[in-house]
Amino acid sequence: MTNRQHAVSLGALGLLALALTACGAGPGPTGASEQDGVPPLNASTAGTGEEGLPPLNADGSAPSEEMSLEEAAPFLEAQGYAPAGDDLGGYTVGHLPDDVAGTPYDQDSTALARAQDQVVPDLHEVERSWLADTVQVDHLVDDAGRVMSEREAVAVSDLYVSVMRRDDLTDIDAYYEVMGVDLDEEFSDAPARELPDGNGHYNGSTALFSPEPGVVVRVMYVDDAYWDELYATDDLTAEGDPGEVLRIVEGITPS
């Protein structure tokens, strides 16, 4: 699986962030310097002294290490990941594409905020991803280009499914209004189509739908074939696999 980091938001800015990460752009928010008063996001301390830190890679990217899921467990746990059960925020993911393999992990943003004594968001979101047997663990790099002792796991998956809950998400139109986004922003890589039951939209990589009042589900299916198609264009567009995305959506049912 190609090591392409997942952006939390999948609108135009999210896809641009994914593209820049895959092209080897410099450190993002997780690379902020603690001297600037900005703590590293989703990071845990590796316990290595500053003098023992590895240098930057020749291309300027952060030094990294491949670890088994067991070895990377402390980093994944610090980032809010836990092995998944059958239930995902009250729903079950019943269909997986043939190329989606690995161990399912859930990340609960609300639980993570509480654990880190941060402001708990009013949007409760739980996201599932399917991780390979080994994951990449990167050192963080501060704004001055210095390698930091803190490290984070790069939790890459071909498929992400998120269940979002908030009282005012009464339907999919309410989601767009509350979040201040429109179809073009959420589906920037290809035009959106309406789902057969009319409760949301989808294209070849993404689906957004409201299965019941107060709940919105997001699907992101981005396998290597999708990325190859995306980066073959100048405008970051890709048809993807709408049929497969629709099958994933139709397989998501209440637990």
Side-chain angles (χ1 to χ4, degrees):
M1 184 186 303
T2 307
N3 180 22
R4 295 167 171 132
Q5 289 192 26
H6 168 46
V8 175
S9 171
L10 295 189
L13 293 178
L15 282 171
L16 179 59
L18 285 165
L20 291 176
T21 300
C23 292
T30 56
S33 170
E34 294 186 53
Q35 295 177 351
D36 297 332
V38 182
L41 300 177
N42 295 342
S44 59
T45 302
T48 304
E50 295 294 325
E51 294 182 356
L53 295 178
L56 289 173
N57 295 325
D59 62 359
S61 61
S64 62
E65 179 182 356
E66 289 290 328
M67 294 186 181
S68 68
L69 289 177
E70 182 178 0
E71 292 170 328
F75 302 101
L76 290 168
E77 183 178 353
Q79 293 165 226
Y81 288 93
D86 293 334
D87 180 85
L88 174 65
Y91 288 83
T92 299
V93 182
H95 172 76
L96 295 180
D98 291 340
D99 58 356
V100 174
T103 304
Y105 273 72
D106 289 347
Q107 184 184 42
D108 187 326
S109 58
T110 302
L112 179 61
R114 288 198 182 105
Q116 296 181 341
D117 293 326
Q118 297 177 352
V119 176
V120 176
D122 55 4
L123 177 72
H124 182 203
E125 180 175 6
V126 182
E127 178 184 80
R128 179 163 298 172
S129 52
W130 285 258
L131 305 185
D133 292 339
T134 60
V135 297
Q136 182 175 307
V137 177
D138 292 349
H139 278 274
L140 301 186
V141 178
D142 67 18
D143 291 339
R146 295 184 295 260
V147 175
M148 302 168 65
S149 60
E150 291 82 1
R151 292 195 283 176
E152 66 177 7
V154 182
V156 176
S157 178
D158 287 339
L159 175 64
Y160 304 88
V161 179
S162 300
V163 176
M164 297 171 277
R165 291 184 177 272
R166 185 166 139 169
D167 291 343
D168 53 0
L169 300 180
T170 54
D171 56 24
I172 195 61
D173 291 332
Y175 170 86
Y176 296 130
E177 182 177 353
V178 168
M179 297 301 170
V181 295
D182 58 29
L183 280 178
D184 290 339
E185 292 173 306
E186 289 285 358
F187 298 88
S188 60
D189 54 344
R193 315 174 187 189
E194 189 172 28
L195 287 167
D197 59 6
N199 68 351
H201 303 91
Y202 75 107
N203 64 10
S205 67
T206 305
L208 271 171
F209 64 101
S210 178
E212 61 179 303
V215 177
V216 170
V217 177
R218 180 196 296 278
V219 171
M220 178 183 177
Y221 176 50
V222 284
D223 61 357
D224 284 347
Y226 168 82
W227 289 113
D228 290 342
E229 183 182 0
L230 187 78
Y231 291 121
T233 67
D234 295 330
D235 55 357
L236 295 179
T237 58
E239 175 65 19
D241 192 340
E244 191 68 276
V245 171
L246 184 58
R247 286 187 285 274
I248 297 169
V249 170
E250 292 173 341
I252 297 174
T253 58
S255 299

